[in-house]
Amino acid sequence: MDRVRRVVDDAMIFASLMVLAWPLIFVGLGEDEPSVLSWMLPVGGVLVVGAVVIKLAERWPLAQYAPVASAIVMAGVQQVMGFGESGLTWLIIVMAGTILIRQFLGARTNEGLMRDLTRQRAILARQAFRDPLTGLGNRTMFMDHARDALSDSDNTMTAVVLIDLDGFKIVNDTYGHAAGDELLRVAAERLNANVRANDTVSRLGGDEFVVLLPRLIDDQIADTVANRILRDLMQPLVVGDAVLTIRASAGIAITRGSGHDVDAILREADEALYQAKDDGKGVARRFDPARFAEAEQRRQDEADLRRALAERQFEVHYQPIVDLAGEHTVGVEALIRWQHPERGLLAPFAFLDQVEAIGMMPELGCWVLEEACKQAVLWQQETPQFELNVNLSASQLSNPDLTEEVRGVLERTGMPPHLLVLELTETVALVDPVESARVLNSLKTLGVRIALDDFGTGFSSLSHLGVLPVDVVKIDRSFVQAMQDSPDGGSVAEAVLQIARTFGLAPVAEGVEDAAQASRLRELECAQAQGYHFARPMPAAGVTDLLSRQAVALERR
């Protein structure tokens, strides 16, 4: 059609130019002996000018109508003045017919263009509001419908049910993406089958769907719909040769009245979904403000901890370890503290569990080790053979780079390896005794020593003590306290000390709180101890002052 239209346009231009050139052609033909040149020149001129106009029309489309307008004006003038000829009349008729055909073809072309535009608009509208895989609405449609529902809810309730397929990645990895796509399509069909006509079901992306339930009178309807959807999704589905079930979790958020923010309700549904996942998956849970507040606090604490590490808000405090024979300090245990900008100085129990949970412990533990080693080297300049004890966590012990990190700290700080004691608890060491033994043996190749903390309280046995490359055992405070609390308490402490000596381990008693306990430990021939009776954990400056006073006291003797 476009090719025919272009031919008609060109014919219209040449016909118009012929009208304009007709007087010249007529003069040439009217001579007694007309020469070919006399009429060929005007015709040639028409061809040349026509070609030029056609070329100009490619850039300026209106240029093609200039010859037409000129020809019509000229023909009209000639007819009024009586110079019109029959040939000219026919040219005008041809030209007028050409224009009519051109307009007809243009109308047909415009009609086709309008149909194409309408079709394209429909396709774009579908893409803008529909998920191409499932045919459900997408996030844009959900947000649009949710805003309408919330603005027109009066005194009724609006519920948002967020649904996530459990284990969908496993289906994709095991059976392929074609099976995963089929699973999503079936899930969409089952979701649609369990809602009302005025409800909206959308796919937000991946394996996450959302159901909008507007104008509810009873809030229990949302729970009923969510649980019905989860049960229906669980029905077996045959995909190829595999029989699959679609297990899902759901989070429900409900609001009453209008004027609420869609994003806020969607966040509440997402938090409820997280609670459902946390409760074992495959269940529906309503948004719980109390649990949400706890989760928000955890997230805030996590952000604070990451900022604290970046801004060096942590401090290392040190608790002295004394030689019971003379009660002078022979070493320290490094203990982490958090100087919180709002809550003040926090002890480890207030934050270490969360540090471990969010995976920060290896980084924080390495920082503590390096800071403590730097400080211990300074003390060793004045107090030779001064020992440093540093704790290892479960995540540090499972770190494959632990040995190299410790080696790097020793090299950077100049810390003598034999004066560094790395402590770990029985519960940490005995989760996997074989792997723990491998890691600890690797550490011992550096020359450091290993201490087993809280000895006697875990689930250790004599066989484990034979497997783990331990040098020091730290007797738990509960055994020290028991020496005064019961007649048999001293016997228990004595038995623990005897076990340590049997395996050639150096014992250190923890939690010594008074002189009587210290005296009883001397009677039991325990060489070293630590506790509030001797000193509380303190900043490095406090240890420096303590060592200075101790040195002065030794000089006076």
Side-chain angles (χ1 to χ4, degrees), residues 18 62 117 161 199 221 254 403 477 513:
M18 285 295 291
L62 292 178
L117 288 173
V161 182
D199 298 334
I221 294 175
I254 302 174
T403 301
R477 65 179 63 249
E513 295 184 353

Side-chain angles (χ1 to χ4, degrees), residues 236-249:
L237 165 67
V238 178
V239 177
D241 297 330
V243 179
L244 307 176
T245 55
I246 311 174
R247 194 165 182 262
S249 303

Side-chain angles (χ1 to χ4, degrees), residues 526-546:
C526 180
Q528 295 181 350
Q530 67 184 101
Y532 287 179
H533 172 61
F534 307 109
R536 292 174 178 269
M538 63 186 75
V543 177
T544 301
D545 291 343
L546 178 65

Side-chain angles (χ1 to χ4, degrees), residues 213-234:
L213 305 173
R215 304 189 72 80
L216 297 179
I217 304 301
D218 185 355
D219 62 343
Q220 293 299 320
I221 294 175
D223 300 274
T224 302
V225 171
N227 285 299
R228 188 171 63 226
I229 286 173
L230 296 187
R231 285 195 303 270
D232 199 14
L233 288 175
M234 279 290 290

